[in-house]
Amino acid sequence: SISVDTIYNNEQEYLGKVLTIVDISEIKRREKEILYLSYHDVLTGLYNRTYLEETIQRLDTPRQIPFSVIMGDVNGLKMTNDIFGHDEGDNLLRNVSKLLKKVSRTEDIIGRWGGDEFVILLPKTSEEEVHMITKRIIRAFDDNENTYNVQGIKPSISLGYGVKTREDVDIF
């Protein structure tokens, strides 16, 4: 940050200028971190519910129709937490998020809605396309070798989707 101030004596005669330079790199880094944390889930690194809700409202326009939304619910999270502990439950959620990112398109908006629920926003995506995407995600979970397993258990997710095809329909 740079600021320039003019200096005058008591008779208001110009004496010169003072240039002040302050390194605000750390402040900017913290601002970026705060912004990141305000829109991302700390556990998975995916977008959080706040970001998803704001994005839905921003993208809920006629230009984005058909607008598809996939909702997923992780199977067995409570059981994983009860049997293996919350650290392993967290690992399960992280692995599910990694799998979702791996199989999704770059333009897909993936987030953790809360708890064991995930959402994928798909503007300009028809019912046929979202159906194929959903099948691809399920296949990726089924075909998962052992890379994403938690305590030898393969992650699993239940999925559903909806498609907004008309402007007068409330996306929520």
Side-chain angles (χ1 to χ4, degrees):
S1 173
I2 300 172
S3 64
V4 180
D5 294 305
T6 306
I7 300 180
Y8 299 96
N9 64 15
N10 290 341
E11 286 79 37
Q12 294 301 312
E13 295 172 326
Y14 173 80
L15 296 177
K17 295 197 181 272
V18 173
L19 177 67
T20 306
I21 301 172
V22 179
D23 182 0
I24 59 168
S25 303
E26 185 63 19
I27 293 168
K28 289 297 184 186
R29 188 193 65 74
R30 286 188 191 153
E31 285 175 358
K32 275 180 140 175
E33 186 178 338
I34 289 168
L35 183 62
Y36 179 86
L37 291 173
S38 68
Y39 286 124
H40 289 81
D41 176 58
V42 176
L43 182 66
T44 63
L46 296 176
Y47 291 116
N48 63 19
R49 185 174 183 150
T50 301
Y51 180 84
L52 291 169
E53 287 178 347
E54 288 179 12
T55 301
I56 289 169
Q57 289 177 350
R58 183 174 46 82
L59 294 176
D60 190 13
T61 64
R63 284 192 342 249
Q64 303 299 335
I65 292 175
F67 192 148
S68 297
V69 177
I70 298 174
M71 290 204 75
D73 193 75
V74 177
N75 298 320
L77 178 63
K78 182 181 178 343
M79 187 170 59
T80 301
N81 284 333
D82 291 346
I83 295 171
F84 300 112
H86 288 277
D87 287 342
E88 291 302 319
D90 290 349
N91 285 336
L92 176 62
L93 291 171
R94 279 191 286 270
N95 287 350
V96 166
S97 70
K98 288 175 190 173
L99 263 167
L100 289 173
K101 283 193 280 192
K102 180 181 175 186
V103 299
S104 294
R105 306 170 303 180
T106 54
E107 65 269 19
D108 297 345
I109 302 163
I110 309 167
R112 183 169 171 215
W113 194 253
D116 61 354
E117 297 174 328
F118 291 84
V119 169
I120 304 174
L121 305 179
L122 307 153
K124 295 183 181 178
T125 305
S126 69
E127 182 157 0
E128 183 179 300
E129 290 171 302
V130 73
H131 180 75
M132 296 304 291
I133 292 167
T134 303
K135 284 175 68 173
R136 186 176 70 231
I137 293 169
I138 291 169
R139 196 169 39 255
F141 275 82
D142 289 344
D143 294 347
N144 165 40
E145 296 297 321
N146 296 323
T147 311
Y148 300 99
N149 290 4
V150 173
Q151 294 290 330
I153 298 170
K154 186 182 282 198
S156 170
I157 192 167
S158 299
L159 298 174
Y161 64 84
V163 183
K164 177 177 176 169
T165 57
R166 293 189 345 254
E167 188 178 344
D168 62 329
V169 174
D170 182 359
I171 193 144
F172 287 97

